């Protein structure tokens, strides 16, 4: 038996100093289960000896059997979660002071997902604002028209959301075990399958920006590798397919950004992508080509 109200799941790889900062932002309480899952860091086997913070009460430390995916680490964390609610936190981010007091105002909610706003700062200087708060506009839009659709379908990250654990387990929602975009389909499926949701405009989460992170190259065509581009695009196309199968009016454009990066930097692979779409998902092929062609014409200044 335990008193856990919240299970905080933190995937980690090879940034222990930032992990310790993250842990300091989470209060030590018998109601808060903290699960750190290390994704095969080079020195991960000695972390518990080296960092006494990992031995604090109500914290559990695990390691994946195979590295290379924060999604795999998150899924392992879900296997050990016991709280009524689940909160995912990236190890280089942190939570706002007073996070537990803010959350407890909403723990009796009958909603499946609670959406909290976030702040964005530079990792090396937490007093300096950053531009990774690209989802805050969704909260601004919600305040205008109270439409839930964009929060449900366009908020593609896991941070800042509190999930009812029974809802996750009932619907068998898990992360893709890929190196990139492993949380995107989880977020999309959860947004689609959730019954009631609640939007809280108060910030709970602090998302940081730093060079070298996986997120830093997402929309930078000069940095994005072929493997990253293909993986992110594959995840997004699977979401398009899921949308078609479930009659969801999907309007996301991330796959167009990624296909443009693939087309500009790796034209041969872009051709293979079109062939794959034609063979595997013929119903998607013409729509994808039409939208992508429209994007090309726009870049050329044609109407």
């Amino acid at each position: 038996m335990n008193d856990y109200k919240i299970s905080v799941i933190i995937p980690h790889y090879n940034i222990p100093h930032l992990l310790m900062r993250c842990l300091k932002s989470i209060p030590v309480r018998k109601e808060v289960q903290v699960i750190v899952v290390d994704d095969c860091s080079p020195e991960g086997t000695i972390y518990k000896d080296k960092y006494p913070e990992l031995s604090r009460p109500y914290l559990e430390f695990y390691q994946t059997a195979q590295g290379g995916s924060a999604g795999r680490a998150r899924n392992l964390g879900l296997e050990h979660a016991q709280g009524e609610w689940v909160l995912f936190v990236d190890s280089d981010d942190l939570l706002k002071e007073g996070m537990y007091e803010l959350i407890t105002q909403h723990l009796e909610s009958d909603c499946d997902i609670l959406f909290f706003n976030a702040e964005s700062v530079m990792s090396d200087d937490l007093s300096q604002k950053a531009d990774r708060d690209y989802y805050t506009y969704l909260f601004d839009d919600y305040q205008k028209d109270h439409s839930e659709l964009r929060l449900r379908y366009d908020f593609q990250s896991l941070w800042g959301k509190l999930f009812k654990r029974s809802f996750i387990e009932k619907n068998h929602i898990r992360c893709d075990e890929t190196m990139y975009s492993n949380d995107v389909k989880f977020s999309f499926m959860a947004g689609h399958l959730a019954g009631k949701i609640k939007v809280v405009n108060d910030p709970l989460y602090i998302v940081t920006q730093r060079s070298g992170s996986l997120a830093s190259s997402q929309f930078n065509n000069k940095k994005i590798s072929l493997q990253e581009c293909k993986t992110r695009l594959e995840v997004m196309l699977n979401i398009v397919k899921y949308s078609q199968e479930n009659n969801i009016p999907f309007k996301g454009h991330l796959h167009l950004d990624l296909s443009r990066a693939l087309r500009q930097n790796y034209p041969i692979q872009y051709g293979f992508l079109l062939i794959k779409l034609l063979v595997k998902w013929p119903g998607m092929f013409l729509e994808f080509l039409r939208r992508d062609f429209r994007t090309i014409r726009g870049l050329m200044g044609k109407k």
Side-chain angles (χ1 to χ4, degrees), residues 2 5 21 52 56 83 88 145 161 167 171 182 192 194 200 205:
N2 62 72
K5 297 292 185 181
R21 182 182 70 181
R56 69 184 227 179
F88 294 97
D145 57 19
K161 302 172 187 175
F167 160 70
N171 292 282
N182 56 78
H192 173 61
V200 182
Y205 197 95

mmCIF file of all heavy atoms in Angstrom, residues 2 5 21 52 56 83 88 145 161 167 171 182 192 194 200 205:
data_model
loop_
_atom_site.group_PDB
_atom_site.id
_atom_site.type_symbol
_atom_site.label_atom_id
_atom_site.label_comp_id
_atom_site.label_asym_id
_atom_site.label_seq_id
_atom_site.Cartn_x
_atom_site.Cartn_y
_atom_site.Cartn_z
ATOM 1 N N ASN A 2 0.413 2.283 -0.697
ATOM 2 C CA ASN A 2 1.138 3.541 -0.715
ATOM 3 C C ASN A 2 0.143 4.689 -0.763
ATOM 4 O O ASN A 2 -1.061 4.482 -0.936
ATOM 5 C CB ASN A 2 2.095 3.611 -1.913
ATOM 6 C CG ASN A 2 1.348 3.552 -3.238
ATOM 7 O OD1 ASN A 2 0.678 4.512 -3.630
ATOM 8 N ND2 ASN A 2 1.446 2.436 -3.941
ATOM 9 N N LYS A 5 -0.241 9.904 -4.968
ATOM 10 C CA LYS A 5 -1.231 10.588 -5.797
ATOM 11 C C LYS A 5 -0.687 10.826 -7.197
ATOM 12 O O LYS A 5 -1.434 10.814 -8.176
ATOM 13 C CB LYS A 5 -1.620 11.928 -5.162
ATOM 14 C CG LYS A 5 -2.295 11.829 -3.816
ATOM 15 C CD LYS A 5 -3.675 11.200 -3.939
ATOM 16 C CE LYS A 5 -4.412 11.207 -2.603
ATOM 17 N NZ LYS A 5 -5.750 10.570 -2.719
ATOM 18 N N ARG A 21 19.266 18.845 -10.919
ATOM 19 C CA ARG A 21 18.507 20.109 -10.875
ATOM 20 C C ARG A 21 17.017 19.824 -10.986
ATOM 21 O O ARG A 21 16.195 20.426 -10.284
ATOM 22 C CB ARG A 21 18.967 21.025 -12.008
ATOM 23 C CG ARG A 21 18.266 22.379 -12.027
ATOM 24 C CD ARG A 21 18.722 23.228 -13.205
ATOM 25 N NE ARG A 21 18.239 22.698 -14.484
ATOM 26 C CZ ARG A 21 18.514 23.247 -15.668
ATOM 27 N NH1 ARG A 21 19.293 24.317 -15.744
ATOM 28 N NH2 ARG A 21 18.029 22.708 -16.778
ATOM 29 N N PRO A 52 23.842 11.065 -4.281
ATOM 30 C CA PRO A 52 22.971 10.675 -3.162
ATOM 31 C C PRO A 52 21.519 11.103 -3.343
ATOM 32 O O PRO A 52 20.628 10.524 -2.720
ATOM 33 C CB PRO A 52 23.616 11.384 -1.959
ATOM 34 C CG PRO A 52 24.481 12.456 -2.547
ATOM 35 C CD PRO A 52 24.938 11.951 -3.860
ATOM 36 N N ARG A 56 16.974 9.389 -2.297
ATOM 37 C CA ARG A 56 16.008 10.090 -1.459
ATOM 38 C C ARG A 56 14.729 9.264 -1.331
ATOM 39 O O ARG A 56 14.457 8.382 -2.159
ATOM 40 C CB ARG A 56 15.687 11.471 -2.040
ATOM 41 C CG ARG A 56 14.912 11.429 -3.327
ATOM 42 C CD ARG A 56 14.693 12.816 -3.905
ATOM 43 N NE ARG A 56 13.300 13.025 -4.306
ATOM 44 C CZ ARG A 56 12.830 14.150 -4.826
ATOM 45 N NH1 ARG A 56 13.643 15.178 -5.018
ATOM 46 N NH2 ARG A 56 11.564 14.256 -5.132
ATOM 47 N N GLY A 83 0.889 5.885 -8.928
ATOM 48 C CA GLY A 83 0.061 7.026 -8.565
ATOM 49 C C GLY A 83 -1.242 7.068 -9.350
ATOM 50 O O GLY A 83 -1.384 6.430 -10.389
ATOM 51 N N PHE A 88 4.957 13.364 -16.825
ATOM 52 C CA PHE A 88 6.245 13.121 -17.468
ATOM 53 C C PHE A 88 7.081 14.403 -17.415
ATOM 54 O O PHE A 88 6.598 15.484 -17.760
ATOM 55 C CB PHE A 88 6.056 12.709 -18.923
ATOM 56 C CG PHE A 88 5.372 11.384 -19.108
ATOM 57 C CD1 PHE A 88 4.006 11.319 -19.366
ATOM 58 C CD2 PHE A 88 6.092 10.198 -19.038
ATOM 59 C CE1 PHE A 88 3.369 10.105 -19.547
ATOM 60 C CE2 PHE A 88 5.461 8.974 -19.211
ATOM 61 C CZ PHE A 88 4.090 8.926 -19.467
ATOM 62 N N ASP A 145 -11.687 31.019 -27.456
ATOM 63 C CA ASP A 145 -12.888 30.340 -27.958
ATOM 64 C C ASP A 145 -13.251 29.067 -27.197
ATOM 65 O O ASP A 145 -14.267 28.435 -27.480
ATOM 66 C CB ASP A 145 -12.727 29.999 -29.436
ATOM 67 C CG ASP A 145 -11.493 29.141 -29.716
ATOM 68 O OD1 ASP A 145 -10.962 28.512 -28.775
ATOM 69 O OD2 ASP A 145 -11.060 29.095 -30.877
ATOM 70 N N LYS A 161 1.451 18.056 -18.927
ATOM 71 C CA LYS A 161 0.167 17.358 -18.889
ATOM 72 C C LYS A 161 0.151 16.356 -17.737
ATOM 73 O O LYS A 161 1.138 15.649 -17.503
ATOM 74 C CB LYS A 161 -0.083 16.600 -20.200
ATOM 75 C CG LYS A 161 -0.072 17.463 -21.445
ATOM 76 C CD LYS A 161 -0.140 16.591 -22.690
ATOM 77 C CE LYS A 161 0.030 17.412 -23.948
ATOM 78 N NZ LYS A 161 0.097 16.573 -25.161
ATOM 79 N N PHE A 167 -6.659 5.842 -17.136
ATOM 80 C CA PHE A 167 -6.981 6.145 -18.530
ATOM 81 C C PHE A 167 -5.890 5.630 -19.461
ATOM 82 O O PHE A 167 -6.174 5.019 -20.505
ATOM 83 C CB PHE A 167 -7.167 7.653 -18.695
ATOM 84 C CG PHE A 167 -7.039 8.168 -20.098
ATOM 85 C CD1 PHE A 167 -8.001 7.881 -21.051
ATOM 86 C CD2 PHE A 167 -5.945 8.944 -20.469
ATOM 87 C CE1 PHE A 167 -7.883 8.347 -22.351
ATOM 88 C CE2 PHE A 167 -5.814 9.411 -21.764
ATOM 89 C CZ PHE A 167 -6.788 9.118 -22.713
ATOM 90 N N ASN A 171 -6.515 2.270 -22.133
ATOM 91 C CA ASN A 171 -6.375 2.419 -23.579
ATOM 92 C C ASN A 171 -5.022 1.934 -24.101
ATOM 93 O O ASN A 171 -4.737 2.085 -25.294
ATOM 94 C CB ASN A 171 -6.589 3.882 -23.968
ATOM 95 C CG ASN A 171 -8.016 4.332 -23.757
ATOM 96 O OD1 ASN A 171 -8.898 4.023 -24.555
ATOM 97 N ND2 ASN A 171 -8.260 5.068 -22.670
ATOM 98 N N ASN A 182 9.325 10.299 -30.018
ATOM 99 C CA ASN A 182 8.727 9.122 -29.393
ATOM 100 C C ASN A 182 7.473 9.427 -28.587
ATOM 101 O O ASN A 182 6.701 8.522 -28.270
ATOM 102 C CB ASN A 182 9.754 8.416 -28.502
ATOM 103 C CG ASN A 182 10.340 9.357 -27.460
ATOM 104 O OD1 ASN A 182 9.719 9.643 -26.459
ATOM 105 N ND2 ASN A 182 11.549 9.842 -27.716
ATOM 106 N N HIS A 192 -7.025 12.307 -28.397
ATOM 107 C CA HIS A 192 -8.192 11.799 -29.114
ATOM 108 C C HIS A 192 -9.093 10.945 -28.223
ATOM 109 O O HIS A 192 -10.328 11.051 -28.269
ATOM 110 C CB HIS A 192 -7.739 10.979 -30.321
ATOM 111 C CG HIS A 192 -8.839 10.269 -31.033
ATOM 112 N ND1 HIS A 192 -9.907 10.924 -31.621
ATOM 113 C CD2 HIS A 192 -9.050 8.934 -31.244
ATOM 114 C CE1 HIS A 192 -10.726 10.041 -32.174
ATOM 115 N NE2 HIS A 192 -10.238 8.833 -31.950
ATOM 116 N N ALA A 194 -9.227 10.790 -24.849
ATOM 117 C CA ALA A 194 -9.651 11.336 -23.559
ATOM 118 C C ALA A 194 -11.121 11.732 -23.590
ATOM 119 O O ALA A 194 -11.611 12.281 -24.572
ATOM 120 C CB ALA A 194 -8.786 12.541 -23.194
ATOM 121 N N VAL A 200 -5.680 24.334 -17.480
ATOM 122 C CA VAL A 200 -5.249 25.201 -16.384
ATOM 123 C C VAL A 200 -4.216 26.165 -16.940
ATOM 124 O O VAL A 200 -3.159 25.740 -17.411
ATOM 125 C CB VAL A 200 -4.653 24.387 -15.222
ATOM 126 C CG1 VAL A 200 -4.265 25.313 -14.070
ATOM 127 C CG2 VAL A 200 -5.633 23.314 -14.756
ATOM 128 N N TYR A 205 5.154 23.738 -15.578
ATOM 129 C CA TYR A 205 6.364 23.145 -16.140
ATOM 130 C C TYR A 205 7.299 24.243 -16.644
ATOM 131 O O TYR A 205 6.846 25.264 -17.174
ATOM 132 C CB TYR A 205 5.955 22.228 -17.290
ATOM 133 C CG TYR A 205 6.990 21.235 -17.742
ATOM 134 C CD1 TYR A 205 6.998 19.941 -17.246
ATOM 135 C CD2 TYR A 205 7.946 21.564 -18.698
ATOM 136 C CE1 TYR A 205 7.925 19.001 -17.692
ATOM 137 C CE2 TYR A 205 8.876 20.649 -19.139
ATOM 138 C CZ TYR A 205 8.863 19.359 -18.636
ATOM 139 O OH TYR A 205 9.782 18.447 -19.080
#
